[in-house]
Amino acid sequence: MTDTKPSITLRIANIHRVAPDIKAFTLKTLDKGKLPPHAPGSHIKIAISDKDTRSYSLLPLTGDDSAEDTCRIAVLLDQNSTGGSQFMHELSLRDNVTVSPPKNDFPLANTKNPSLLFAGGIGITPIYAMAKQLETADAEYTLHYAGRREGKLAFTDEINRLIGDKLHLHYDNQDSALNISDVLEAATKNTHIYVCGPKGMIVAVRRAAESIGFPMGQIHFELFNTPSTTKGDVPFEVEIADTGKVHTVPVGKTILDVLEEAGEELLYDCKHGDCGVCTTKVVSGEVDHRDVVLSDSEKAAGNLIQICVSRAKSKRLVLDLQPETQTKKITPKTNPKPTQKKNENNMKTIDLEWLVQPGGSEVHRDVFINQDVFEQEMKTVFRNTWVYVGHDSQAPNKGDFTTTTIGNQPVIMVRHSDNNIQVLLNRCPHKGVQLVNDPSGSTGQYFRCPYHAWSFKTDGSPLGIPFEKGYEETGFDTSCAKEGMCKVENVRNYRGFIFARLSPEGESFEDFFSGSLSSLDNMIDRSPEGRLEVVGAPLRYLHYCNWKMLVDNQTDTCHPMIAHESSAGTVKKLWEAAAGENTPKPMVVEIVLPFMSSYETFENMGIRTWDNGHGHTGVSWSIHSEYSDVEGYFGKMIKAYGKDRAQEILAETRHNTCYFPNMMIKGAIQTLRLFKPVAADKTIVESWIFRLVGAPDTFLERTAMYNRIINAPTSIVGHDDLEMYERAQEGLKVDANPWVNMQRHYHEDELGGERVHPGTSEVQMRNTYVSWAKYMGMGEDS
Amino acid sequence: MSVQKENIIDFIYAEAALIDERKFSEWLNLFAEDGLYWMPLEFGQQEERLTTSLMHEDKLMLTVRVERLHGERTFSQRPKSRCHHLLQRPEILHISKDTIKTRTAFHYTETRLDEQFFLVGWSEHTLRPADHSFHIVRKQVNLINPESAHRNIQLFV
């Protein structure tokens, strides 16, 4: 039926999220086999089932990849698709796919004439390849790349690095929106025009170019659009002229689908109204044209139809199935559709724009109670962000390790023989057994699996397998097991604090945290030696609520005086009754009393936010600001930092700093809390304390006291909070109102960069959910 | 008064019974003014001051807890928790004129609404004879799983 049947097996070597809905796939031949040569504009077809294929244009390669054995494509997830894009987005690293040899229906005419490239959305893929070739040839060209709004377009940075100001970005919702006529009118008449994008864009470029007078031969196009059911579609009948057979074409199926099911021999290729292969003669009936192949006059004449997309306006079409002359082009793909507000219980696809309302002002309950949402968080939020793993003082010597989780992924943090901290996924590559499961310990020079004694160096590389000759000539050499333990490549030791990003590609550590690192710095700088050490085991506290309720509560400054009236309020009452005017405050009173500060106090202390969901309360003052001085400490700080710097460090008494997604620190009292997700309604909170190395023990005493008074499962303050979270987890079951409100002090454009807000604003919660939606949209990376 | 072993054992049982019967104020009165209630966070933990504990409560903090349990706006106690101590016969480790030390194994159950949990371990009491009874100078509660991820422990083990 088509000349390029899928016949080549390729393995997925890399998956990279390049825009919220778009993944790029790097495909390699098995055993370094050769791919047929392919030029810009080429596409491959990928088999998505026994019968069905989807075509994808080839992208330029990155890094050291060679076109001889590697190709790269990008796939937009169509929210309404149940076919190709969903199939592609569900693929994992190392999966195999069957593809056709590359074919080129959209080649560059030449590099001598000037070229004008238009790309709409995912239509960038062949255009990007063309731009690269034109750039290499030092040709005269410009690229106009249009999208609905900023942040949705893929490869903008890559292309910008490659071609600089030859790239013009256009966003429909901004002043930069693409004006096709203006661009074309400015071009010389010998310019070749290339356009790839949705149907509307191709039609608009063709019309404008033709009306300005560009020769048809200089207008090249390829369509990226999945025809889908259009509102108002109705069933109609198709009669085959020479047999008289009549078939009904229902809504949701094309003429091509129906006739093929009926056993008719048909010629077709793109199945998207773009290639012209299925052009069919119309004997009678009125056509509802939905292709870009036929010209306006051909459409008006009404005697040809593209049976892969077009439908009927009349009740019946009579078609002559004798093959027409073949024409033009190829290549499908999906078209982004505006996300629909889903009904309550239909969570088949997770609609982030619905779950998190603009600016994070309202958040749907599914964000907290839906287990599907939770599963996606594990694959997205916890893969694409830098998550705190542990502190390097927990593994002081080579071979020392701790075990923990990043999202739901069990990991080992271990000090390798080169003295660096490694983060390894905690499973034996053989049968999956966890190699160690103590909270902490020493493994010596290597990990040894307790099941079959496979052993691995402390960077995860394979060391030995007993009786290994049993694997000779079994294909073991190409297995995952052969690779050793899976290792997290992106690990950062920031002044002792170890963070890891599971996704192999993504934002850098600095870009992710930006100015928020100042809170960690302040905690560390409070040590005269600039160093912290973990002390003791963490408190571990089981909550039957969503992990984000705890995150939100860290910057909720309107709850302490209410929810903690029973605990902090009782301390205040007893202390005021017992103490004389000059009675020195015991440490515990000093810690608990500020919880009962007024709204006004909290309002004035301010909240600071940074990009990517980080923020802190206590900008100008905090509940930690008035702890009494500790003798001998300030002198040490002056000696270490000089007076001005020492004062500056100690004047910064931030309250809670939330690091997205699931960590909170209190610099002024050296505690760290991790909100570890277990299920949508189950969270384990770990609360750790640090020693300020070189500072008097009184600090550690205060820190330890704070931790047990405030954070323990035996803490009365903790009891107050847990009760609220768990009541909320239950209360959100109410169908009549599915929204969690976050609107206190909300206004548009409040986020972006570093900002300071009123202290009772719920802005940091909104900041959390705006970022949450961003990372949720990134999807699984590898 | 001469210290009778039987009185010591009765005292330990009675202490637990006051908690089970929610007579927290009376229970609090058993503590000496310098009394301490300690529940370590790590099994075998020796350090009290410079590391985290689950509880390390002087009489002021115990008083806060008892007051809170009676408070109108103590929402985590609506409805209230109940508990039960099942004690093994206390073992007297040391007895002298002014100090008595005991070891008592327990199964402790706490419940609220549909939830019920178990804590298991042993308590070490240091008592000081006072009037016709004793004062608790120190009660150390050792759980066999202090490091576990616990739910709210709201009453007194």
Side-chain angles (χ1 to χ4, degrees):
Chain A
M1 214 155 297
T2 60
D3 54 348
T4 52
K5 284 214 170 89
S7 57
I8 304 170
T9 303
L10 297 181
R11 179 164 293 183
I12 297 177
N14 199 0
I15 305 176
H16 183 199
R17 172 82 47 181
V18 292
D21 305 325
I22 304 172
K23 285 182 178 181
F25 297 83
T26 303
L27 308 171
K28 284 186 184 288
T29 56
L30 305 184
D31 305 323
K32 300 228 165 207
K34 290 242 160 100
L35 271 179
H38 44 91
S42 299
H43 68 272
I44 53 172
K45 292 181 185 212
I46 298 186
I48 63 159
S49 70
D50 291 348
K51 291 186 202 154
D52 217 357
T53 62
R54 290 289 185 277
S55 300
Y56 296 105
S57 289
L58 300 182
L59 282 162
L61 300 176
T62 55
D64 298 331
D65 286 335
S66 158
E68 290 197 347
D69 62 1
T70 308
C71 61
R72 188 161 73 121
I73 60 168
V75 180
L76 170 75
L77 179 65
D78 180 351
Q79 295 295 341
N80 297 339
S81 150
T82 51
S85 72
Q86 192 167 332
F87 169 84
M88 291 301 299
H89 272 245
E90 283 169 2
L91 290 172
S92 304
L93 213 58
R94 294 202 180 94
D95 281 350
N96 288 347
V97 290
T98 311
V99 312
S100 67
K103 186 165 178 283
N104 200 347
D105 296 304
F106 187 41
L108 271 176
N110 64 57
T111 57
K112 294 194 184 73
N113 290 62
S115 300
L116 195 48
L117 310 178
F118 291 97
I122 190 65
I124 189 63
T125 51
I127 297 289
Y128 176 15
M130 289 175 177
K132 187 168 183 184
Q133 178 165 335
L134 292 166
E135 181 68 25
T136 309
D138 208 17
E140 184 188 341
Y141 74 100
T142 47
L143 163 50
H144 293 269
Y145 184 9
R148 287 214 173 85
R149 62 175 188 271
E150 217 167 334
K152 288 280 193 185
L153 294 179
F155 306 115
T156 50
D157 291 346
E158 255 183 73
I159 298 173
N160 187 46
R161 275 197 298 276
L162 182 72
I163 72 172
D165 57 11
K166 296 196 194 80
L167 171 66
H168 300 264
L169 292 172
H170 304 278
Y171 299 110
D172 295 352
N173 64 347
Q174 294 181 12
D175 294 344
S176 63
L178 176 61
N179 185 323
I180 292 167
S181 297
D182 286 358
V183 173
L184 287 170
E185 271 165 17
T188 54
K189 287 291 181 297
N190 63 339
T191 301
H192 275 263
I193 299 157
Y194 302 86
V195 52
C196 185
K199 183 169 141 186
M201 183 182 200
I202 291 176
V203 170
V205 171
R206 277 183 74 186
R207 280 197 184 135
E210 283 169 32
S211 74
I212 292 168
F214 284 93
M216 281 301 286
Q218 283 173 223
I219 308 168
H220 315 271
F221 59 89
E222 194 164 53
L223 174 69
F224 275 74
N225 194 355
T226 306
S228 60
T229 305
T230 305
K231 209 173 169 187
D233 278 357
V234 291
F236 60 95
E237 291 173 344
V238 169
E239 180 185 331
I240 314 298
D242 57 346
T243 62
K245 284 185 188 163
V246 177
H247 306 281
T248 300
V249 181
V251 174
K253 285 197 172 181
T254 64
I255 301 173
L256 180 61
D257 291 335
V258 170
L259 297 186
E260 194 171 37
E261 279 168 22
E264 298 287 350
E265 283 290 323
L266 300 164
L267 272 178
Y268 63 87
D269 192 277
C270 75
K271 296 178 81 175
H272 297 95
D274 166 54
C275 71
V277 171
C278 70
T279 303
T280 303
K281 281 184 273 186
V282 179
V283 178
S284 67
E286 196 184 348
V287 179
D288 178 6
H289 293 286
R290 295 182 182 188
D291 60 283
V292 294
V293 175
L294 300 176
S295 67
D296 288 351
S297 58
E298 284 172 320
K299 284 176 182 170
N303 50 13
L304 292 174
I305 180 172
Q306 308 299 309
I307 57 171
C308 66
V309 290
S310 297
R311 301 181 69 85
K313 286 181 182 164
S314 53
K315 284 188 174 168
R316 180 177 289 196
L317 288 179
V318 181
L319 302 180
D320 176 355
L321 289 191
Q322 298 308 309
E324 256 299 313
T325 324
Q326 295 185 18
T327 43
K328 302 189 190 136
K329 310 281 162 266
I330 303 217
T331 303
K333 235 167 239 189
T334 52
N335 184 35
K337 301 203 173 54
T339 39
Q340 303 292 311
K341 286 200 170 186
K342 292 270 176 340
N343 78 35
E344 263 314 281
N345 303 311
N346 179 12
M347 279 297 303
K348 198 171 177 189
T349 55
I350 292 166
D351 184 341
L352 294 167
E353 287 180 26
W354 174 234
L355 293 182
V356 178
Q357 293 289 300
S361 56
E362 287 178 283
V363 175
H364 194 272
R365 64 172 178 178
D366 280 343
V367 171
F368 301 95
I369 66 174
N370 186 306
Q371 187 63 21
D372 291 340
V373 170
F374 179 87
E375 302 296 339
Q376 182 158 327
E377 285 177 331
M378 296 304 105
K379 290 176 179 168
T380 57
V381 173
F382 282 87
R383 291 188 60 79
N384 290 301
T385 56
W386 289 86
V387 179
Y388 178 72
V389 178
H391 192 267
D392 72 358
S393 62
Q394 293 171 262
N397 303 307
K398 292 171 185 177
D400 288 352
F401 69 84
T402 62
T403 54
T404 181
T405 48
I406 299 176
N408 63 357
Q409 296 297 294
V411 295
I412 305 169
M413 182 185 93
V414 61
R415 194 177 286 271
H416 185 46
S417 52
D418 66 1
N419 228 6
N420 287 320
I421 299 287
Q422 303 273 349
V423 178
L424 307 171
L425 275 305
N426 191 0
R427 65 154 281 178
C428 180
H430 184 204
K431 302 290 190 200
V433 171
Q434 293 201 319
L435 289 155
V436 285
N437 63 357
D438 321 60
S440 63
S442 176
T443 192
Q445 291 183 312
Y446 60 94
F447 291 105
R448 178 181 180 275
C449 181
Y451 199 3
H452 301 97
W454 288 27
S455 57
F456 310 91
K457 292 181 194 163
T458 45
D459 63 355
S461 56
L463 196 59
I465 295 174
F467 210 47
E468 194 168 3
K469 67 181 181 184
Y471 288 103
E472 282 170 14
E473 293 174 28
T474 60
F476 183 70
D477 281 350
T478 58
S479 68
C480 286
K482 172 72 179 175
E483 305 287 315
M485 296 168 69
C486 299
K487 175 177 160 179
V488 182
E489 295 292 344
N490 294 287
V491 175
R492 180 62 184 269
N493 183 341
Y494 185 80
R495 304 186 68 184
F497 289 77
I498 310 295
F499 294 84
R501 192 193 66 215
L502 290 173
S503 169
E505 295 184 57
E507 282 165 303
S508 70
F509 179 85
E510 280 75 14
D511 285 349
F512 179 67
F513 284 116
S514 66
S516 71
L517 291 171
S518 55
S519 285
L520 263 181
D521 284 335
N522 181 257
M523 180 155 84
I524 302 163
D525 289 343
R526 285 168 174 265
S527 150
E529 296 180 22
R531 201 154 53 86
L532 303 183
E533 280 175 5
V534 164
V535 176
L539 288 161
R540 299 178 67 241
Y541 195 171
L542 176 59
H543 288 59
Y544 291 135
C545 69
N546 190 270
W547 62 278
K548 297 184 294 302
M549 288 186 181
L550 283 123
V551 174
D552 292 345
N553 188 59
Q554 304 311 307
T555 60
D556 183 325
T557 51
C558 288
H559 86 282
M561 63 294 276
I562 306 302
H564 299 306
E565 184 185 341
S566 82
S567 49
T570 304
V571 172
K572 187 167 189 254
K573 192 175 77 181
L574 288 177
W575 171 248
E576 284 171 356
E581 212 162 283
N582 297 316
T583 323
K585 273 185 200 164
M587 201 181 260
V588 61
V589 174
E590 214 173 69
I591 286 173
V592 180
L593 274 195
F595 278 68
M596 292 306 288
S597 301
S598 66
Y599 287 110
E600 204 178 354
T601 305
F602 281 107
E603 181 81 330
N604 292 335
M605 77 187 212
I607 290 184
R608 180 181 278 124
T609 54
W610 295 278
D611 289 337
N612 296 330
H614 316 301
H616 79 91
T617 45
V619 175
S620 59
W621 180 88
S622 87
I623 64 166
H624 307 304
S625 294
E626 287 168 20
Y627 295 155
S628 36
D629 293 335
V630 174
E631 206 183 321
Y633 174 60
F634 192 48
K636 285 185 165 191
M637 288 293 283
I638 291 174
K639 207 172 161 191
Y641 296 101
K643 193 175 177 191
D644 290 350
R645 177 70 187 131
Q647 277 176 336
E648 190 183 25
I649 292 167
L650 299 178
E652 193 73 58
T653 55
R654 298 178 183 183
H655 178 208
N656 294 341
T657 300
C658 287
Y659 286 102
F660 189 80
N662 70 328
M663 169 178 134
M664 186 279 280
I665 64 161
K666 286 175 175 286
I669 193 133
Q670 301 92 49
T671 58
L672 180 154
R673 304 185 82 196
L674 266 183
F675 310 109
K676 291 176 134 180
V678 182
D681 59 357
K682 192 173 179 185
T683 304
I684 290 179
V685 185
E686 286 185 359
S687 301
W688 297 83
I689 60 169
F690 296 89
R691 178 202 307 276
L692 295 172
V693 178
D697 276 349
T698 309
F699 286 98
L700 183 56
E701 181 182 5
R702 186 189 281 159
T703 296
M705 179 181 284
Y706 189 95
N707 206 29
R708 79 162 185 271
I709 298 277
I710 309 298
N711 298 332
T714 37
S715 154
I716 52 180
V717 176
H719 298 161
D720 294 336
D721 284 326
L722 178 142
E723 180 70 14
M724 299 307 131
Y725 309 140
E726 295 189 356
R727 286 193 191 193
Q729 194 76 24
E730 282 300 303
L732 289 180
K733 289 177 182 168
V734 170
D735 294 328
N737 172 9
W739 297 101
V740 176
N741 192 282
M742 310 262 177
Q743 279 171 303
R744 191 175 176 82
H745 278 306
Y746 171 65
H747 61 90
E748 283 180 30
D749 304 321
E750 63 184 348
L751 295 171
E754 182 174 317
R755 305 271 188 104
V756 173
H757 317 262
T760 69
S761 176
E762 289 172 333
V763 62
Q764 171 52 23
M765 302 178 205
R766 296 189 285 273
N767 192 26
T768 300
Y769 291 99
V770 167
S771 296
W772 181 86
K774 167 184 160 181
Y775 290 102
M776 278 288 277
M778 285 189 177
E780 193 176 1
D781 213 321
S782 61
Chain B
M1 93 181 204
S2 68
V3 176
Q4 299 292 319
K5 282 189 177 184
E6 204 177 306
N7 294 345
I8 297 168
I9 292 166
D10 286 347
F11 178 85
I12 300 290
Y13 282 132
E15 188 242 342
L18 286 177
I19 301 171
D20 292 352
E21 292 162 15
R22 294 186 60 92
K23 294 176 178 167
F24 299 118
S25 301
E26 290 172 50
W27 174 76
L28 186 64
N29 287 336
L30 300 182
F31 278 78
E33 286 310 303
D34 59 346
L36 178 80
Y37 180 108
W38 183 33
M39 186 189 284
L41 171 61
E42 294 181 70
F43 194 81
Q45 177 180 327
Q46 299 297 312
E47 177 61 48
E48 296 180 42
R49 194 171 67 93
L50 298 181
T51 192
T52 309
S53 297
L54 286 164
M55 290 171 75
H56 192 268
E57 313 291 80
D58 60 10
K59 196 153 183 184
L60 171 65
M61 276 311 290
L62 288 176
T63 309
V64 169
R65 283 178 183 273
V66 167
E67 281 278 318
R68 177 179 176 278
L69 288 173
H70 292 140
E72 273 301 303
R73 289 184 174 169
T74 306
F75 301 106
S76 75
Q77 283 298 299
R78 303 181 74 167
K80 292 187 186 304
S81 303
R82 293 176 213 133
C83 68
H84 182 259
H85 289 75
L86 185 64
L87 303 184
Q88 198 174 44
R89 184 175 188 273
E91 183 185 352
I92 295 167
L93 302 175
H94 171 89
I95 185 162
S96 67
K97 205 176 81 179
D98 51 8
T99 305
I100 296 136
K101 292 190 175 183
T102 63
R103 179 193 194 278
T104 311
F106 62 80
H107 278 194
Y108 171 84
T109 310
E110 191 175 302
T111 184
R112 179 172 171 253
L113 291 164
D114 290 337
E115 220 177 301
Q116 179 167 298
F117 64 88
F118 252 136
L119 295 171
V120 174
W122 71 97
S123 297
E124 295 171 4
H125 286 79
T126 301
L127 306 178
R128 185 186 295 149
D131 303 329
H132 298 289
S133 180
F134 305 94
H135 277 155
I136 301 170
V137 179
R138 181 181 171 98
K139 178 177 179 181
Q140 179 177 339
V141 176
N142 302 298
L143 304 180
I144 58 170
N145 66 335
E147 308 95 336
S148 291
H150 293 290
R151 298 281 292 151
N152 274 358
I153 302 170
Q154 295 206 56
L155 302 179
F156 302 96
V157 179

